[in-house]
Amino acid sequence: MKVAFATQDLKRVDAHFGWAKNIAIYEVGPEGHHFIEAIEFDGDLKEDGNEDKLAPKIDAIKDCTILYVAAIGGSGAARVVANNIHPMKVNQPEEISDLIGKLEVVLQGNPPPWLRKVMSKGQERTFDFDE
């Protein structure tokens, strides 16, 4: 699954979604991960209530399953969730590599129901009922 990280330095989740300079995207699974791309945003990214700056970011992460952020506003969170992306807030700046490692461990075990649900993003739902 694709996972996005709001980051200023491409090393840590240390940015508010709306004014993040970069979004780093990784493919993460129980067997490992690999870097896909870093998308840089420029212009006026300050916290100012300008909702137009969110559209390119939402578009950049539309095929991601999880978004890690240091913070996210109500409007941004609503738009992320509306695109079936699960926002995850970190309480302090945290290394992207550490977050990926923790996620891989969870994926190797028995992921919680919310994670199983987001992992199925984009897949057709099937039901296996006994006849």
Side-chain angles (χ1 to χ4, degrees):
M1 72 179 151
K2 288 186 180 179
V3 180
F5 301 88
T7 177
Q8 301 296 50
D9 63 5
L10 295 174
K11 293 179 180 14
R12 300 174 300 147
V13 172
D14 60 355
H16 184 288
F17 180 59
W19 38 278
K21 182 178 176 186
N22 301 290
I23 301 285
I25 299 176
Y26 287 77
E27 182 72 34
V28 181
E31 309 303 317
H33 68 276
H34 68 273
F35 175 75
I36 296 175
E37 66 180 323
I39 303 160
E40 185 174 354
F41 299 92
D42 52 12
D44 187 11
L45 299 173
K46 290 189 294 251
E47 187 175 6
D48 59 3
N50 175 9
E51 300 300 316
D52 291 340
K53 68 184 172 198
L54 294 178
K57 290 183 177 172
I58 298 290
D59 190 52
I61 65 168
K62 68 180 178 288
D63 58 348
C64 292
T65 303
I66 299 173
L67 167 66
Y68 283 91
V69 297
I72 189 168
S75 172
R79 291 170 74 176
V80 166
V81 170
N83 280 277
N84 297 318
I85 302 164
H86 189 82
M88 296 284 292
K89 185 176 178 282
V90 298
N91 293 324
Q92 60 203 23
E94 202 164 336
E95 295 288 325
I96 292 172
S97 59
D98 292 346
L99 291 167
I100 290 173
K102 290 175 190 175
L103 184 56
E104 287 173 345
V105 169
V106 170
L107 293 174
Q108 291 166 4
N110 186 14
W114 72 265
L115 185 53
R116 286 195 304 268
K117 181 179 178 183
V118 297
M119 287 170 57
S120 67
K121 178 180 178 175
Q123 297 176 4
E124 184 177 328
R125 291 182 70 181
T126 59
F127 299 96
D128 187 17
F129 295 110
D130 290 335
E131 296 191 63

